[in-house]
Each structure stands twice: as C-alpha cells, then as structure tokens.
C-alpha cells in the first residue's frame, strides 16, 4: 500500500467508460472522419454536455444496486455517450504536439504491419504477402479521426441517442461536419450466456483496482490512477522516462479498439480433436479441460490456479475469491495453470511481481458482437457469420499497456521467462505470428513440454485504431473551441 498522499480523482472530468465502464446491454462504436473542422467544433460544443462522466456512471451503478435490492426486475433506461480521437483527429483539431506514445503516434494500421525487426515483431496480425497490409476489413484502412461510443439497455434507447448525435453534427443537412466510415454494434449475449464471450468463457472478471477509488477484492491488485489516467499521481510515466504527456491530456486515457473476429465452431472443433487424456476423463470432459487450460479459467470463470481439476461455479460467482490467486505456489510448474494460458500471459501476476506488473495493467471494457452460433455452423465446424469481440482497453500508455502485452508477452514464445520450459509458446487465444502457425505448451498436466499447433487463428484481427479519450475540460475548452 502506497503511503504517498494522492489527489482524489476528479470524476466530473473523466469520461464514464474509462474506469468503470458505461452500463450496457448494447453498445455501438461509430467511426468517423471530420469533414469541416469549424462546423465540427460547433457540434462538439453541443455534444460535450451529453458525454457521460465517471460521476454519472458511479451514480447509475448505485441506482442499479438499489433497484436490485428492491427486487425490481425491469431494466432501468440508462444510456451513455463517450468520445475519443485518433492522432489524425487531434491533428485536425490543432493538437499537433508529441503525445509521447509511439504506438498512438504510429496508429494501429502501421503498428499491425509486419516488421523485419525480430526484437520488435509488432502486433503480429496476418497480412497480405503482396501489399504487406494486415488482412483487415477495408474500412479500418481508411483514416479514422474519432470514435463515438453509444451504449444502452436496448436498441431503441441507443438509436435515440444516435439520432441526437447526428443532429449535433448536422448529418443529412448542408451543415454536415462528419462522415461515417464504419460502425460496429455489440451486444451482451442472451441468457444463459449473459457475460460470457463467444468462446463461452465468462469475461470481465479481473481488472486492476484504482488507488483512492476502488476498494479491492481479495487478490485484486491496486494500481495508481496514473497507470490508466494521464496526468494523475504515480504510474503515468514510462519506465525510465520523465512524464511528458502534454497538459491537455490530464484525466484522459488511451482507448485501444480492436475488432477481433472469433471462429467459434473451429475453436470448438480444435478442442474436440485434442482432448486432454487423463484416467477417468471422458473425451468431452478432456476437451473442456483443454479449453480451461488454454484460458486459465473454466467457462464459468473459476480460475484453474485455485480449482485445477474441476469447475466450481460458486467460486466463479464469488468476487471475494475469484481473483484471489497469483501463481506464487506454481512459479515453475504448470500442474495448475499453464504458463501460456491467456490470463497468465496477459497478467502474469507473481511470475513478474507487483512492481513490474503495475505499468502493464489495462482496464478492459469490450463487448461481444455478432449472432449466436447456428446449428448449421455447429454441424459443419465452420464459421458462416461474423462474430467476435469488440475489444476495448484503456491505459495511460499504449506502449506500456496493450502494445506491450500483445507484442512482448502474447506473441513471445519465450515468455514468461526463466521457467524450466524455456519456450512456453504463444498465448493460444490471442498470440499472433503473421501468417505462420503457432504452438503452445503446458496444456497437458502430465507432459508439460508437449506442444500443440494451431494451424488457423481462432481470433482474427479485422481492424482497429488507437484513440485518446479526453477529459471533459479538454473536450469543452480545447477541442470544441475555435482556434
Ligand atoms: Fe482477454 N475470452 O473471452 O476468451 N480474456 N480476451 N485479452 N484478457 C480474459 O479475467 C478474450 C484480449 C486480457 O487479470 C478472460 O476477466 C478473448 C486482448 C487481460 O488475470 C477471458 C479475446 C488482450 C485479462 C478473455 C481477448 C487481452 C484477460 C478471463 C479476443 C490484451 C485479465 C476473464 C477475442 C492484449 C487477466 C477475466 C487477469 C482476461 C477472453 C483479447 C487481455 C475469458 C476472446 C487482445 C489483461
């Protein structure tokens, strides 16, 4: 626990999605370019008061808690709006100074292109051999200046807010100041899969707690606010560098967006074909076990570091217990959790220790998109409809956060370092190596260096961009103000 006195967060100045997440059953991401800067600024002045702040989200969460305590079952009509700008958008609005984040300045398209630098393999997205461009949908290869996030508990509520926004920016009139490049709408999956992503695993269980704001659950690590929010105490520094984010970034955060398609029938087919064989385990249970060891949690969300051999849905639902593990008893063995399991690769906890982990923490706020798997897809083991994760995460440094986690951990076959197995392999969920196949070890508790090869990617990046989610003050007093 830090003894340094810290300034409380100015929740009125922070956009609502960053530290707590907009409340949502559905969420639309609208990707736009600015056609006319001055008209856009005028629209932004109207939009700014409608942006959902962290204060509002905090109140809404309390309202929902009360609503549930009163045993009311109808959904409260809550909607939300947030906004974030790419470096193109900031430049158009006159903010051209260096924001001191290489990934943000480069943009995600450049970051996703294959590199010849073996020490910095980048995001590793599959690419077209001729153009060397990542195999993204064309919309994400265009210049995107900003993204507007609209959330709600139903389609109607969300559409009402979208119409309001279109009006601010004169859409469909001669005063139109923006043009839509693309939009993606996500939705929480229907019951009983509510809260689970498309591979079937419960998501959104582990987030860092923010010092001076959250009360951490047992095992939940606390990070200084500056790890997520720029210009805040401690943490808002790159290791070895002085904090050099410009003043106008204070209370803002970088928003990483990735459209990650998930090939669910193919993933399930892979599990079915490679069950873990143990005495007394049926092939179905062996497949479920393999999935749990690739993820580090059972589908219910129960962590395998605590319950390695069988699922425990009660543990999964218990916030006092479901993050209370740190691999400290298994630093060199994988009887419980493989070194390559998705949650161990992306948050290796005591494999690295608190000090090294702090600058690498991110807050994830994504939502699944696309329909449920159809009977026909199940039968053919082939994806016919686009579905996946609208991946969103926040951090005060993309270089230290998302970019580092993807490049240096998920895509790095030697990470975590210093284990008896010197090349644990890729993160079997999100590890990428361009157009090559990927291996991972540790899945078989009885033969921990045995390796499995994924010949196709079950998670396919289809595009994205790096954005900056400004404070309300910067939105009103800098971005919406005429130069
Ligand atoms: Fe991951 N999944 O639903 O299968 N992730 N993730 N992720 N992820 C986590 O602990 C998933 C992706 C992290 O603190 C869980 O909340 C899928 C990227 C981190 O112990 C599940 C995709 C990055 C954690 C998933 C995807 C991360 C985490 C367990 C892509 C960053 C917390 C639930 C389609 C580069 C680890 C939970 C911790 C957990 C899934 C992407 C990072 C189920 C499907 C791109 C830091």
């Amino acid at each position: 626990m830090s003894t340094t006195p810290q300034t409380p967060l100015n929740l009125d100045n922070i956009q609502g999605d960053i530290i707590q997440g907009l409340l949502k059953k559905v969420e639309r991401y609208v990707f736009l370019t600015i056609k006319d800067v001055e008209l856009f600024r005028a629209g932004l002045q109207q939009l700014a008061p409608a942006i959902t702040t962290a204060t509002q989200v905090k109140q809404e969460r309390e309202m929902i808690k009360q609503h549930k305590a009163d045993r009311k079952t109808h959904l409260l009509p809550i909607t939300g709006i947030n906004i974030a700008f790419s470096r193109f958008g900031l430049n158009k609005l006159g903010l051209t100074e260096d924001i001191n984040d290489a990934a943000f300045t480069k943009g995600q398209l450049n970051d996703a292109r294959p590199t010849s630098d073996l020490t910095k393999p980048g995001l590793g997205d599959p690419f077209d051999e001729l153009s060397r461009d990542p195999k993204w949908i064309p919309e994400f290869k265009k210049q995107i200046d900003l993204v507007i996030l609209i959330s709600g508990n139903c389609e109607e509520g969300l559409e009402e807010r979208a119409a309001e926004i279109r009006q601010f920016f004169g859409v469909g009139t001669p005063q139109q100041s923006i043009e839509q490049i693309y939009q993606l709408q996500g939705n929480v999956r229907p019951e009983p899969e509510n809260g689970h992503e498309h591979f079937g695993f419960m998501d959104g269980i582990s987030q860092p707690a923010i010092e001076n704001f959250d009360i951490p659950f047992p095992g939940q690590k606390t990070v200084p606010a500056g790890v997520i929010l720029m210009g805040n105490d401690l943490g808002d520094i790159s290791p070895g560098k002085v904090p050099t984010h410009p003043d106008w970034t204070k209370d803002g955060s970088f928003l990483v967006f990735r459209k990650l398609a998930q090939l669910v029938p193919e993933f399930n087919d892979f599990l079915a074909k490679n069950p873990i064989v143990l005495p007394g385990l049926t092939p179905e249970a062996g497949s479920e076990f393999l999935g749990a060891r690739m993820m580090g949690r059972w589908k219910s969300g129960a962590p395998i570091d605590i319950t390695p051999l069988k699922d425990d849905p009660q543990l999964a639902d218990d916030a006092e217990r479901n993050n209370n593990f740190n691999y400290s008893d298994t630093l060199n063995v994988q009887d419980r959790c493989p070194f390559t399991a998705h949650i161990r690769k992306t948050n290796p906890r005591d494999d690295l220790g608190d000090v090294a982990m702090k600058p690498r923490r991110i807050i994830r706020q994504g939502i699944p998109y696309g329909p449920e798997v159809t009977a026909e897809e199940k039968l053919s083991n082939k994806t016919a409809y686009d579905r996946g994760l609208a991946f969103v995460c926040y951090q005060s440094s993309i270089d230290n956060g998302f970019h580092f986690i993807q490049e240096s951990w998920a895509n790095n076959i030697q990470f975590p370092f210093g284990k008896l197995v010197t090349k644990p392999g890729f993160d079997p969920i999100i590890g990428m190596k361009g157009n090559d196949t990927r291996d991972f070890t540790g899945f078989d508790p009885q033969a921990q260096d045995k390796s499995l090869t994924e010949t196709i990617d079950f998670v396919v990046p289809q595009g994205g961009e790096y954005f900056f989610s400004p404070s309300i003050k910067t939105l009103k007093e800098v971005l919406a103000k005429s130069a």
Side-chain angles (χ1 to χ4, degrees):
M1 196 67 182
S2 163
T3 50
T4 319
Q6 303 214 347
T7 334
L9 293 182
N10 181 359
L11 298 183
D12 289 338
N13 199 31
I14 299 167
Q15 295 200 50
D17 201 36
I18 303 174
I19 46 177
Q20 304 155 97
L22 294 173
L23 290 154
K24 62 199 180 210
K25 294 276 180 220
V26 284
E27 184 163 34
R28 191 181 293 175
Y29 301 90
V30 191
F31 300 91
L32 302 151
T33 49
I34 301 170
K35 302 309 286 175
D36 181 309
V37 169
E38 281 317 305
L39 284 175
F40 176 76
R41 286 191 203 275
L44 208 51
Q45 277 167 28
Q46 291 181 274
L47 178 71
I51 296 294
T52 310
T53 65
T55 304
Q56 279 165 284
V57 173
K58 191 163 182 252
Q59 288 162 352
E60 288 164 1
R61 288 190 177 269
E62 277 155 18
M63 255 163 58
I64 290 182
K65 229 180 185 174
Q66 189 55 50
H67 193 69
K68 283 185 179 157
D70 295 344
R71 295 180 186 280
K72 294 184 182 153
T73 50
H74 66 273
L75 290 177
L76 289 170
I78 291 171
T79 56
I81 301 176
N82 271 197
I83 188 168
F85 298 84
S86 70
R87 90 280 191 201
F88 297 118
L90 292 181
N91 288 352
K92 275 192 183 170
L93 295 168
L95 293 176
T96 51
E97 68 197 293
D98 187 8
I99 204 165
N100 194 26
D101 193 276
F104 180 79
T105 305
K106 212 172 166 187
Q108 200 178 112
L109 181 59
N110 283 328
D111 210 17
R113 288 197 164 109
T115 83
S116 49
D117 181 351
L118 292 180
T119 61
K120 289 198 172 0
L123 301 186
D125 291 17
F127 57 92
D128 181 87
E129 304 276 356
L130 260 182
S131 69
R132 313 286 291 170
D133 261 0
K135 288 182 183 164
W136 287 6
I137 57 171
E139 290 86 342
F140 280 110
K141 294 186 187 166
K142 294 184 182 164
Q143 179 177 317
I144 293 169
D145 292 335
L146 66 142
V147 59
I148 298 184
L149 289 67
I150 317 167
S151 60
N153 65 356
C154 61
E155 176 70 31
E156 294 73 39
L158 189 149
E159 184 43 42
E160 233 172 70
R161 299 309 301 272
E164 203 182 308
I165 296 167
R166 286 196 289 269
Q167 209 182 9
F168 294 153
F169 294 103
V171 174
T173 75
Q175 309 303 311
Q176 177 162 342
S177 61
I178 50 174
E179 196 170 287
Q180 183 174 310
I181 304 283
Y182 181 63
Q183 79 171 32
L184 182 67
Q185 190 156 320
N187 54 280
V188 167
R189 292 182 59 205
E191 293 285 357
E193 292 298 329
N194 185 9
H196 295 242
E197 54 65 58
H198 279 295
F199 290 144
F201 295 87
M202 188 66 173
D203 205 358
I205 305 169
S206 173
Q207 302 276 29
I210 304 291
E211 219 161 87
N212 262 358
F213 178 71
D214 290 309
I215 301 167
F217 286 104
Q220 190 186 16
K221 297 291 179 186
T222 303
V223 296
V227 171
I228 306 300
L229 290 159
M230 282 129 130
N232 276 270
D233 294 331
L234 308 171
D236 179 19
I237 46 166
S238 318
K241 288 189 203 159
V242 221
T244 49
H245 295 309
D247 288 351
W248 50 263
T249 61
K250 182 169 167 45
D251 287 344
S253 185
F254 286 120
L255 181 171
V256 170
F257 181 89
R258 297 268 281 166
K259 178 175 190 277
L260 297 173
Q262 287 174 257
L263 306 188
V264 181
E266 289 84 348
F267 177 78
N268 287 337
D269 188 38
F270 178 81
L271 297 186
K273 288 193 172 127
N274 297 285
I276 294 176
V277 181
L278 282 182
L281 219 56
T282 63
E284 290 74 28
S287 296
E288 196 189 332
F289 193 31
L290 174 64
R293 287 186 66 85
M294 287 165 75
M295 186 60 66
R297 290 186 185 268
W298 297 91
K299 283 190 173 170
S300 67
I304 59 171
D305 197 54
I306 299 181
T307 177
L309 293 176
K310 62 175 177 43
D311 194 0
D312 181 347
Q314 275 180 337
L315 162 65
D317 288 346
D318 186 351
E320 299 283 331
R321 294 193 292 147
N322 63 17
N323 262 309
N324 202 5
F325 62 97
N326 51 25
Y327 313 120
S328 57
D329 295 338
T330 54
L331 290 179
N332 235 326
V333 285
Q334 313 183 76
D335 312 40
R336 289 173 172 269
C337 185
F339 302 137
T340 56
H342 175 59
I343 67 161
R344 192 163 184 174
K345 274 275 204 184
T346 55
N347 179 8
R349 302 185 186 216
D350 276 7
D351 283 326
L352 287 190
D354 286 357
V355 174
M357 273 312 301
K358 259 182 197 164
R360 310 294 176 208
R361 300 305 304 279
I362 55 178
I363 292 191
R364 295 169 296 124
Q365 305 290 18
I367 188 167
Y369 72 85
E372 294 296 295
V373 174
T374 63
E376 187 196 12
E377 287 177 297
K378 268 186 202 156
L379 214 65
S380 63
N381 292 325
K382 219 167 159 28
T383 296
Y385 301 97
D386 183 24
R387 67 177 63 77
L389 182 67
F391 176 84
V392 169
C393 73
Y394 291 95
Q395 58 257 275
S396 65
S397 163
I398 302 175
D399 292 346
N400 288 332
F402 166 76
H403 177 93
F404 189 92
I405 296 172
Q406 183 72 53
E407 176 179 68
S408 303
W409 292 350
N411 297 355
N412 185 345
I413 55 169
Q414 287 170 335
F415 186 80
F417 310 116
K419 306 291 180 194
L420 288 176
V421 179
T422 49
K423 285 189 183 161
F426 290 91
D427 174 330
I429 306 297
I430 62 157
M432 306 268 159
K433 196 186 180 212
N435 301 338
D436 291 352
T437 57
R438 295 155 311 127
D439 301 335
F440 63 99
T441 66
F443 60 92
D444 187 336
Q446 298 193 319
Q448 298 187 5
D449 50 4
K450 192 162 130 193
S451 114
L452 253 182
T453 303
E454 291 177 14
T455 51
I456 58 161
D457 296 328
F458 305 121
V459 169
V460 184
Q462 293 191 334
E465 185 51 288
Y466 297 143
F467 298 96
F468 168 69
S469 180
S471 69
I472 307 296
K473 187 170 188 275
T474 293
L475 202 57
K476 287 183 179 164
E477 295 178 13
V478 182
L479 295 164
K481 273 264 160 69
S482 290

